[in-house]
Amino acid sequence: MNLDIFKRPRIPAGILPDRLTIRHVLYEAEAPIIFSTETEQGQLLLALVVFEDRDSTLTLLSPTTHGILSSLELGNVYVRDALTASWLMLHRESSDGGAWPVSVSDVEQYLPISGTPLRHDMVPVLSTRAVGTNVIPGQMPASVVAFVADATRRAVKAVLDYQLAMPTGGRPTEGHRSRYDLPVRSFQFASFEVSFGAPVGDGLSDGDVRLAIAKLESGLLWASEGDGDFKSGDNSEREAVLRAVLLLTPPAGGAIDEVQVSGAWMSNRRFVLDRNSGRRVRRELKSVDSEQVVRYVGRVGEVDRDNLTFILRETENATDLKATFDEELLDEMLELLTEGVRIAVTGTERNGRVLISAVSRLQSAVAQESDGSTR
């Protein structure tokens, strides 16, 4: 403790009581460690006990609100952020008690490290952080926010789909969706970070989820610091994991120079991915890549709006094609089913599964619509 603190002018009497009153205990270990208290005037304070012996107790105090305390208990705000959101005071309960104004630098050694939640069970299962020169408040492009959230969701989905042998594409059940569309716990502008909480229970096997995440973790470890070839099961497994990891590497261009992935699911390690990581993953993918770009022409004969699948009839080889499509195409697919016009669809095929990402009406179909004729 910086003893010069106690040489400063004290906070005037009548603001803080000599003995703090505990209003609500937030965290305790044999005795309250973090709790709420109040000034003599009834203003709410967040308290952190930083030292205690037989003669005195030192407590950090910070003005707070009921909203901050509620967010702290829900795990949506970290302890350090809640304490340093306003100015700080150091309260000493002893025979020579009082309170003194302090700065973060005065008490740095007693503050929780950044990202520490109120309780251990509140540690985010995943945190994805984007780092870059322009990834700061006021200059950060909206694409950074979209990338961090969407890349995490898609990467978890990719390994989970493989583990559960789910078909690529299609609309997942709500239970399956909850395993990768994770609840957001907090946003941090330390560059830009999104922390995710655990999914709610839905009856799916936790064991399967853990196995899927372990595969993702092994891929992140290899991409961030491993040497040699990536080893993970057979070629189909290697491809699934590498594609998931690739989603989390920084885009080839743009504001993001580095992506950091951490959290309880990552064994509380932090994996750092840069553009070199992305190049390594893409090179490794070439040896196992089964994906190819495909284009088909035909007419939409059926649409399953629940599973996001459709059947393309009257194709060029006279064979019906069953494929899945991106959710954003649902309205257009339903329109095309009603119109019955010939279309061209493009997408990717991997391991015999076709995922359509773009649809266009053939020029002849457009001409038919313009002159009022129908097929």
Side-chain angles (χ1 to χ4, degrees):
M1 180 68 67
N2 180 6
L3 296 180
D4 289 339
I5 291 172
F6 303 109
K7 298 177 182 179
R8 300 171 186 170
R10 302 185 185 209
I11 291 175
I15 295 178
L16 293 172
D18 294 335
R19 181 181 292 273
L20 297 174
T21 300
I22 298 176
R23 289 189 46 166
H24 177 56
V25 176
L26 298 167
Y27 179 78
E28 61 182 335
E30 297 183 357
I33 302 298
I34 304 174
F35 57 91
S36 63
T37 184
E38 59 188 15
T39 67
E40 293 282 20
Q41 294 74 35
Q43 294 171 307
L44 198 58
L45 300 170
L46 178 61
L48 171 67
V49 177
V50 296
F51 177 81
E52 189 170 24
D53 62 14
R54 297 175 60 181
D55 301 319
S56 65
T57 300
L58 297 178
T59 306
L60 275 177
L61 300 172
S62 173
T64 192
T65 65
H66 290 290
I68 291 176
L69 294 180
S70 177
S71 295
L72 193 59
E73 290 193 282
L74 291 172
N76 297 331
V77 171
Y78 296 132
V79 177
R80 184 188 181 98
D81 296 330
L83 278 168
T84 59
S86 185
W87 45 279
L88 287 166
M89 300 170 283
L90 182 64
H91 180 276
R92 183 169 68 187
E93 186 177 306
S94 67
S95 58
D96 183 26
W100 293 262
V102 292
S103 66
V104 170
S105 60
D106 291 327
V107 293
E108 180 68 47
Q109 60 182 316
Y110 298 103
L111 289 171
I113 62 174
S114 296
T116 302
L118 185 62
R119 301 190 309 273
H120 178 72
D121 62 353
M122 293 176 173
V123 174
V125 296
L126 274 181
S127 292
T128 305
R129 180 186 183 195
V131 180
T133 303
N134 293 322
V135 185
I136 55 177
Q139 296 184 27
M140 183 174 63
S143 59
V144 172
V145 180
F147 171 86
V148 171
D150 197 48
T152 306
R153 178 184 64 85
R154 292 173 62 197
V156 175
K157 181 180 185 298
V159 291
L160 189 58
D161 281 354
Y162 176 82
Q163 183 64 37
L164 300 178
M166 299 289 290
T168 303
R171 177 175 293 171
T173 64
E174 286 306 312
H176 179 58
R177 186 195 301 272
S178 73
R179 290 295 185 175
Y180 64 83
D181 201 3
L182 302 173
V184 173
R185 271 281 176 83
S186 64
F187 297 97
Q188 299 291 317
F189 287 95
S191 288
F192 181 73
E193 180 177 276
V194 180
S195 294
F196 301 88
V200 296
D202 51 32
L204 288 178
S205 168
D206 284 335
D208 283 331
V209 175
R210 292 296 179 184
L211 287 172
I213 295 302
K215 290 180 173 63
L216 177 61
E217 185 179 5
S218 69
L220 290 169
L221 176 62
W222 174 83
S224 61
E225 57 187 61
D227 294 320
D229 297 335
F230 176 55
K231 308 295 185 184
S232 178
D234 58 17
N235 282 351
S236 62
E237 179 176 307
R238 290 174 61 203
E239 182 179 4
V241 175
L242 287 169
R243 289 194 180 282
V245 173
L246 186 61
L247 290 167
L248 289 165
T249 60
I256 302 174
D257 298 323
E258 182 180 285
V259 175
Q260 301 174 4
V261 184
S262 59
W265 276 358
M266 298 290 106
S267 304
N268 290 312
R269 300 180 60 177
R270 183 178 293 272
F271 299 106
V272 179
L273 305 172
D274 56 19
R275 291 194 175 93
N276 286 329
S277 303
R279 285 190 281 269
R280 291 189 68 218
V281 174
R282 281 188 285 272
R283 282 197 301 268
E284 191 74 4
L285 261 174
K286 290 180 180 178
S287 65
V288 294
D289 192 4
S290 65
E291 183 175 275
Q292 57 180 331
V293 177
V294 293
R295 179 181 184 272
Y296 296 96
V297 173
R299 174 181 59 82
V300 178
E302 296 180 21
V303 175
D304 185 337
R305 62 190 307 161
D306 293 322
N307 294 310
L308 297 181
T309 62
F310 77 106
I311 295 178
L312 191 69
R313 303 195 189 283
E314 299 176 13
T315 62
E316 293 169 312
N317 61 6
T319 301
D320 291 350
L321 170 73
K322 184 173 183 179
T324 58
F325 56 87
D326 289 337
E327 190 166 4
E328 294 78 8
L329 295 176
L330 176 58
D331 290 341
E332 187 171 4
M333 283 296 189
L334 292 174
E335 289 180 6
L336 293 170
L337 174 65
T338 303
E339 294 171 5
V341 297
R342 288 184 64 76
I343 62 171
V345 297
T346 56
T348 57
E349 181 175 352
R350 187 165 65 246
N351 297 325
R353 299 167 181 162
V354 178
L355 171 63
I356 297 304
S357 55
V359 178
S360 62
R361 292 171 172 79
L362 294 181
Q363 193 63 38
S364 58
V366 175
Q368 289 172 3
E369 289 179 351
S370 64
D371 65 16
S373 61
T374 59
R375 179 178 174 83

